[in-house]
Amino acid sequence: MKNKKFWDNLYKKNWENQRIFPNEELCRFLGRNFKKRIGIKKNVLDIGCGTGNNILPFLHYGFNILAIDVSKKCIEKCKKKFKEKKRIQFKKINMTEVDKLNTKFDLIADVFSSYNLNYKEGILFVDKVYNQLKKGGIFFSYFPSKNSKSWIMEKKFKYDSS
């Protein structure tokens, strides 16, 4: 519960100070793996969408997007930010509940989200993610090392999946 409150408060108070550009590694990955597939209908699950900074590259590559986050504030703000985009759905759901989604995905992207899980939750999460992938689907995960500024700043919080 502490983790959920942390993110709700962060997005409530500091929305404007959050990163506005997409993750560089995700952009490289999409360019290497999807540039020849532009125009082919694909579904992506953006796990822990935060401020929606990775939405634009997904739109560029023609994905139908389901973006999820545990923060209600975040989902509300993203819905307003992208209200004109028809290929995007936002849903408030915990990343550990991806098995409750009724869609299979060509791509599931986790950028700086699953590092909030403890070891046991992480193992279950990866199993659930792989069950949500279409045959031949790809799971992209990018998270900080324990020496990164993000990890050090946030390690004082006890991460959980509530």
Side-chain angles (χ1 to χ4, degrees):
M1 192 64 131
K2 190 175 183 181
N3 188 24
K4 184 176 172 183
K5 287 179 186 173
F6 169 79
W7 292 110
D8 272 338
N9 287 333
L10 179 75
Y11 290 124
K12 185 177 183 180
K13 296 176 186 174
N14 297 314
W15 180 265
E16 292 78 22
N17 295 330
Q18 297 301 307
R19 181 181 177 135
I20 59 170
F21 296 103
N23 177 272
E24 295 88 0
E25 290 304 318
L26 176 67
C27 291
R28 285 185 192 101
F29 167 81
L30 291 171
R32 284 190 302 265
N33 291 281
F34 290 96
K35 74 177 173 188
K36 292 183 180 176
R37 298 189 225 179
I38 290 179
I40 299 170
K41 186 178 175 188
K42 300 169 291 292
N43 295 321
V44 64
L45 174 60
D46 184 6
I47 294 177
C49 64
T51 58
N53 57 324
N54 293 319
I55 298 290
L56 292 176
F58 293 140
L59 287 171
H60 172 78
Y61 286 101
F63 283 101
N64 295 313
I65 304 157
L66 175 55
I68 66 170
D69 204 284
V70 70
S71 170
K72 180 180 177 183
K73 233 356 128 189
C74 161
I75 294 298
E76 289 170 357
K77 290 189 176 213
C78 279
K79 282 181 178 179
K80 288 178 187 173
K81 183 177 176 179
F82 293 100
K83 66 183 173 194
E84 300 299 319
K85 306 292 184 191
K86 302 205 183 310
R87 293 183 303 175
I88 309 171
Q89 291 182 313
F90 292 98
K91 187 171 186 170
K92 183 196 168 298
I93 185 172
N94 192 296
M95 71 179 87
T96 59
E97 299 175 315
V98 296
D99 56 325
K100 295 180 180 176
L101 300 172
N102 294 328
T103 307
K104 295 284 186 177
F105 299 93
D106 300 286
L107 171 63
I108 297 179
D110 159 33
V111 178
F112 273 65
S113 294
S114 65
Y115 82 105
N116 288 295
L117 301 175
N118 64 38
Y119 180 78
K120 184 179 174 185
E121 292 168 331
I123 297 296
L124 292 171
F125 167 72
V126 170
D127 284 342
K128 290 178 180 186
V129 162
Y130 278 99
N131 287 330
Q132 290 303 120
L133 286 170
K134 290 181 181 177
K135 185 176 180 170
I138 302 170
F139 176 44
F140 174 87
S141 186
Y142 184 79
F143 52 88
S145 75
K146 289 188 176 186
N147 296 324
S148 76
K149 191 174 183 178
S150 294
W151 183 275
I152 293 167
M153 246 175 43
E154 297 168 11
K155 75 179 179 181
K156 64 184 173 184
F157 296 99
K158 180 180 183 266
Y159 296 115
D160 61 33
S161 61
S162 49

